[in-house]
Amino acid sequence: MNSWGDTFKTFGLIAAELVVLFLAISFLVALVNRRVGPKRIQSWLGGSPVVGSLKGVALGALTPFCSCSTLPMLAGMFKAGVPFATAASFLVSSPMLNPIILTAVAVLFGLPIMLGYAAVAVLGSLAIAATWNALGLSRYVKRVRVEGEKEEEPWKGVRAESPGAWRTAREDFRPLVIPLLAGVSVGAVIYGAVPESFLTSFAGPDNPAAIPVAALIGIPLYIRTEAALPIGLALSEAGMGIGAVFALIIGGAGASIPEVSMLTAIFKPRLVAAFVASILVMATAGGFIIPLFV
């Protein structure tokens, strides 16, 4: 079990990091929205739900964000009028797919496992986006002002546009302050209270429910995928099955209490619940599929 002093120090740093990341990414997204223009962004990321979802996954694979720092990008996409399926596939794929993560999986667990993990991340993101779109869950996105609704003004240069972009970043962050702090606090308590021995005993290879249990345990944890992989290797060597290890990694990387708390500022409760349920299903399915690649 982690000491409470170390736990609160760790999550204090995480909270500070998330604040800086959110403001910085929101600032850059605002500049990009102004420089490129919402109509061009819609054109680039638009298309049919299938094409749009593929573009969302591709964008997610190119953006090395953790689950929480995808949210300013997500908010910017909605403001630019990007199709719902595109935004949904980006939200799911971004924390789990980028060249750094895939290389780390290949180095730590081998190329076959990396291919299995990549297949689960890509196909899972596409399946979730398609399901949400088919169910019409876009109606549960909280109303945002689409930038294209007003006449676009000409670009004035980075120096002239920066004050407005910074103002937008602060305005986007303001409703997320309380959810962020609440989520990080709960995550810190869980992190400090759950010993490693609990994970290996309840999610070991001899437990038939190991994979869904590991996926369920992973959801509340705040785990950046890059940090989770060495932890997963250590848990595997301590006796946890490879399927349970990746169920834990996908669950923890795909969703976390801080992210879910922050999503309440963008999604209505039904879509937040659908997000958590989707990540749980994806983590569980991944836990059963990835070992087949060994």
Side-chain angles (χ1 to χ4, degrees):
M1 184 181 297
N2 302 288
S3 72
W4 287 110
D6 290 341
T7 295
F8 287 119
K9 180 180 178 181
T10 297
F11 276 78
L13 292 173
I14 287 174
E17 176 186 320
L18 290 179
V19 170
V20 172
L21 275 174
F22 193 99
L23 290 173
I25 293 169
S26 293
F27 173 77
L28 292 174
V29 168
L31 283 180
V32 170
N33 279 341
R34 282 286 297 118
R35 181 66 183 90
V36 177
K39 291 181 181 179
R40 191 177 299 174
I41 293 174
Q42 289 178 41
S43 176
W44 285 350
L45 295 177
S48 68
V50 173
V51 172
S53 296
L54 288 169
K55 291 179 179 179
V57 171
L59 180 62
L62 295 174
T63 51
F65 296 153
C66 66
S67 59
C68 291
S69 53
T70 62
L71 298 186
M73 187 80 170
L74 181 71
M77 292 169 75
F78 283 130
K79 282 189 174 184
V82 169
F84 176 69
T86 305
S89 63
F90 167 78
L91 171 66
V92 177
S93 64
S94 181
M96 291 183 284
L97 277 177
N98 69 59
I100 297 171
I101 291 172
L102 295 180
T103 300
V105 174
V107 170
L108 294 175
F109 295 94
L111 181 60
I113 292 293
M114 184 274 282
L115 294 175
Y117 172 80
V120 167
V122 171
L123 296 178
S125 300
L126 295 174
I128 289 170
T131 301
W132 288 8
N133 198 61
L135 294 175
L137 297 187
S138 59
R139 66 186 183 275
Y140 297 117
V141 177
K142 293 185 177 179
R143 182 173 175 79
V144 295
R145 177 175 57 85
V146 178
E147 299 291 350
E149 291 177 352
K150 65 179 182 180
E151 185 177 350
E152 295 180 22
E153 298 178 359
W155 173 256
K156 301 173 184 176
V158 173
R159 179 175 295 181
E161 297 284 353
S162 291
W166 178 241
R167 185 166 54 253
T168 298
R170 295 199 312 270
E171 290 173 354
D172 288 345
F173 181 67
R174 191 174 295 117
L176 297 176
V177 173
I178 293 176
L180 169 63
L181 296 178
V184 169
S185 298
V186 174
V189 171
I190 294 174
Y191 179 87
V194 179
E196 185 177 292
S197 59
F198 174 85
L199 298 177
T200 54
S201 63
F202 281 84
D206 296 329
N207 183 356
I211 289 173
V213 167
L216 194 60
I217 291 172
I219 292 288
L221 301 178
Y222 179 83
I223 310 176
R224 295 190 66 146
T225 311
E226 294 89 340
L229 292 173
I231 295 172
L233 182 63
L235 290 172
S236 176
E237 293 175 349
M240 183 182 284
I242 194 69
V245 165
F246 275 91
L248 182 75
I249 290 172
I250 293 171
S256 66
I257 287 180
E259 180 189 19
V260 171
S261 296
M262 294 167 72
L263 270 177
T264 60
I266 303 174
F267 290 170
K268 296 178 181 178
R270 288 191 180 184
L271 188 48
V272 173
F275 170 75
V276 174
S278 298
I279 296 299
L280 179 60
V281 170
M282 182 178 177
T284 302
F288 285 108
I289 293 170
I290 290 173
L292 300 178
F293 285 76
V294 176

